[in-house]
Amino acid sequence: MNTQELMEIIDGTLLTEVCDFTREIKGGCGADLMSDVLASIQPNAILLTGLCNPQVIRTSQMADVAAIVFVRGKRPPPETIALANVESIPLISSPYGTFELCGRLYAAGLPSLENPVSNGNCDCDE
Amino acid sequence: MTDIKNQPITDAVAESITKVEELAYELLINQVMTRDIATVSPSDTMEFVAILFREKRISGSPVLRDGELVGILSIEDLIRCLMAVDLPSTVEKYMSSKLITVKEFDPVIEALKTFVHNRVGRLPVLDEQNKLVGIITKGDITRGLLKKLTNEFQQEEIRVYRASHLFEDIISTRTSLVLRYNIKPRDFIHGGTASSYIKRALMRLGASPQIARRCGIAIYEAEMNLIIHSRNGGIIRVEIEPHQITMETIDDGPGIQDVDLAMKPGFSTATEQVREMGFGAGMGLANITRCVDQLKIDSSLERGTRLKMKILLKEQESFGDSRGNHLEGTP
């Protein structure tokens, strides 16, 4: 799935200046706690979150997130959008909630890129 | 390009200016114009012009009388003359004496604007004494911009190349690069900036994406711990060596009461306010443990906390050429 297809499935609105619509998204991850994101996410996933502060961008940068989707029509503050533009991480807002979004994307064939907790090893080498 | 006819440039427009447009403001006309140009005199015949244009493969020429620019003759003028079967006539009859010129020290954008406003293919370029010094065409501008873009791209490549060869170029018994960052307590707005710089530095030095990611996640968790928990902030110190990366955070309190408990996934002492910001999941130290090869926590309620994280680089991951970059007797 590329970013363009993702936008259509989730009725997304792009909030950043630029976005590579052809970039391939490998899977998804949903979390509001940033340490959970860092603990579980694999590279090139989209992050579904309700958290809007600039830390979302920093976390995503560390975790090599492909794009961030804000659930329930949330709009992050200007400083978050500004940082996303600097770091070239696309921000997308969707009117749907986390459960609905996960369902739609899973049904469309997008796999989970969340490692389960039982996996005690570092997934960074994958 | 955005509408270059609109002047002046407002802040809103300035934001959407592309790299090429930026260069069009930076580059001067005399840096891209053609200097070595063929000129004709008003008394030359159009037949002479036809031969000149064909031999030099040009489509226009300035007309000079005693060194003064008095007109411009284009291929359209020559075609008009040919259709009238009037080659013996002089240049004066067919040249355009309505002169549209640009100044050599003006930025290229001025020439572009003039091209937009006037349907001309070339512009004579004048110096400060209004003497002709060259000709500028849209082709000259395109070539000039491309050359400048290529140069800038090469310079960036050289920068990355130099950084990634840093450890090969410097010979010592033990070479290391140390990065230090001061972290302010409760500065959530800038939280993670240092980690971002560290990750970028590692990439520029040629670290693999996996190594950069492991270091990034570990130091980001540690940086956020300083911001959330430390009394007076702290220091991040990263030492990059060919075979390992050592990252440390140092603060002066309040210290961790029970380190074993703090290591437990899910345990957190973060306040409700910090949790609302997406932190305090109790996964910080657990995440760090997962990402680094060695973790040492030295904490006391009197002195504060010192976190030392080490990532060991395998032979193929090491910075520089591990065979030839250090002296005998390397520790």
Side-chain angles (χ1 to χ4, degrees):
Chain A
M1 185 181 296
N2 63 30
T3 315
Q4 180 66 51
E5 290 159 339
L6 169 91
M7 296 277 282
E8 284 161 22
I9 293 166
I10 66 171
D11 284 346
T13 310
L14 186 67
L15 306 176
T16 41
E17 279 166 19
V18 281
C19 173
D20 177 5
F21 288 107
T22 59
R23 177 165 177 180
E24 189 65 21
I25 294 163
K26 297 258 172 69
C29 169
D32 289 340
L33 286 172
M34 294 301 103
S35 278
D36 279 347
V37 176
L38 294 173
S40 67
I41 199 168
Q42 295 166 46
N44 300 310
I46 53 154
L47 171 62
L48 307 179
T49 189
L51 197 71
C52 291
N53 63 37
Q55 293 313 318
V56 177
I57 312 300
R58 287 297 176 213
T59 303
S60 299
Q61 193 193 0
M62 294 307 144
D64 303 312
V65 165
I68 302 167
V69 176
F70 294 105
V71 303
R72 302 196 55 76
K74 285 176 205 279
R75 294 292 174 107
E79 58 264 31
T80 301
I81 297 177
L83 188 58
N85 279 325
V86 170
E87 302 298 349
S88 302
I89 297 174
L91 301 185
I92 300 161
S93 181
S94 167
Y96 303 109
T98 310
F99 189 83
E100 169 80 24
L101 284 171
C102 293
R104 281 177 178 238
L105 291 168
Y106 216 99
L110 194 73
S112 163
L113 279 189
E114 286 172 12
N115 282 324
V117 181
S118 58
N119 183 353
N121 299 326
C122 179
D123 57 293
C124 298
D125 286 331
E126 283 169 21
Chain B
M1 293 214 172
T2 46
D3 192 356
I4 54 170
K5 281 183 253 181
N6 280 346
Q7 267 195 312
I9 303 285
T10 62
D11 284 355
V13 175
E15 270 182 24
S16 63
I17 286 177
T18 65
K19 182 72 200 163
V20 168
E21 286 168 296
E22 201 182 301
L23 289 179
Y25 283 90
E26 266 174 35
L27 269 180
L28 299 183
I29 286 173
N30 72 3
Q31 290 175 290
V32 305
M33 70 181 188
T34 305
R35 287 169 190 278
D36 182 22
I37 49 171
T39 61
V40 294
S41 124
S43 56
D44 286 333
T45 63
M46 288 303 281
E47 189 172 1
F48 170 80
V49 170
I51 295 165
L52 179 80
F53 279 17
R54 198 178 61 216
E55 282 182 351
K56 298 254 182 197
R57 303 181 71 86
I58 54 175
S59 56
S61 160
V63 185
L64 298 185
R65 180 186 285 132
D66 304 326
E68 280 299 311
L69 181 68
V70 290
I72 192 143
L73 195 81
S74 72
I75 199 133
E76 286 84 16
D77 300 323
L78 180 61
I79 291 168
R80 272 197 299 127
C81 168
L82 285 169
M83 288 178 77
V85 201
D86 192 21
L87 280 175
S89 277
T90 60
V91 165
E92 194 149 26
K93 184 173 171 189
Y94 286 96
M95 73 180 189
S96 162
S97 49
K98 182 181 158 238
L99 287 172
I100 306 162
T101 59
V102 287
K103 298 277 190 201
E104 66 166 330
F105 293 112
D106 278 344
V108 160
I109 192 79
E110 292 302 324
L112 283 172
K113 280 185 207 160
T114 311
F115 280 126
V116 169
H117 287 300
N118 305 282
R119 299 182 46 143
V120 292
R122 67 195 54 71
L123 292 165
V125 183
L126 305 180
D127 67 8
E128 277 155 339
Q129 282 78 45
N130 285 327
K131 285 268 178 272
L132 181 76
V133 287
I135 282 275
I136 188 166
T137 64
K138 288 179 191 167
D140 290 331
I141 295 175
T142 308
R143 269 189 298 279
L145 288 173
L146 275 176
K147 204 169 138 195
K148 182 97 175 162
L149 274 175
T150 310
N151 282 348
E152 293 200 352
F153 177 70
Q154 279 170 348
Q155 273 165 10
E156 171 62 19
E157 285 214 312
I158 288 168
R159 228 144 49 117
V160 173
Y161 174 85
R162 283 205 185 126
S164 61
H165 287 68
L166 186 69
F167 287 100
E168 278 174 38
D169 293 345
I170 296 168
I171 296 169
S172 79
T173 306
R174 186 177 165 185
T175 306
S176 69
L177 181 66
V178 176
L179 317 176
R180 286 187 191 81
Y181 302 87
N182 296 330
I183 306 301
K184 291 195 195 117
R186 261 61 71 198
D187 184 5
F188 287 97
I189 295 291
H190 299 104
T193 310
S195 303
S196 167
Y197 288 142
I198 292 164
K199 186 176 182 186
R200 201 169 304 158
L202 290 170
M203 301 282 276
R204 193 161 255 191
L205 286 166
S208 71
Q210 290 79 14
I211 291 292
R213 179 178 156 91
R214 285 170 61 192
C215 289
I217 291 177
I219 196 64
Y220 178 62
E221 290 283 13
E223 182 180 357
M224 291 316 298
N225 277 347
L226 284 181
I227 290 169
I228 295 168
H229 299 292
S230 76
R231 196 179 292 133
N232 304 307
I235 295 165
I236 293 179
R237 182 183 181 279
V238 180
E239 183 170 5
I240 303 159
E241 292 171 87
H243 61 292
Q244 65 179 18
I245 301 161
T246 311
M247 303 184 290
E248 281 174 284
T249 62
I250 301 140
D251 67 57
D252 62 358
I256 304 169
Q257 200 132 30
D258 184 340
V259 173
D260 289 336
L261 192 58
M263 295 289 290
K264 266 200 156 141
F267 177 82
S268 174
T269 58
T271 60
E272 197 52 45
Q273 187 205 351
V274 168
R275 283 171 208 251
E276 269 171 26
M277 280 189 275
F279 293 94
M283 291 302 293
L285 288 175
N287 273 349
I288 293 174
T289 310
R290 229 167 27 91
C291 287
V292 301
D293 294 310
Q294 292 169 18
L295 171 64
K296 208 175 130 206
I297 303 175
D298 185 7
S299 186
S300 82
L301 297 180
E302 292 85 40
R303 289 188 318 272
T305 304
R306 194 179 192 106
L307 199 71
K308 191 168 181 175
M309 302 163 276
K310 209 169 254 201
I311 289 189
L312 307 173
L313 304 174
K314 296 183 198 113
E315 179 103 22
Q316 69 271 21
E317 293 168 335
S318 67
F319 294 109
D321 182 352
S322 55
R323 279 160 300 167
N325 60 347
H326 35 214
L327 297 173
E328 293 285 317
T330 302

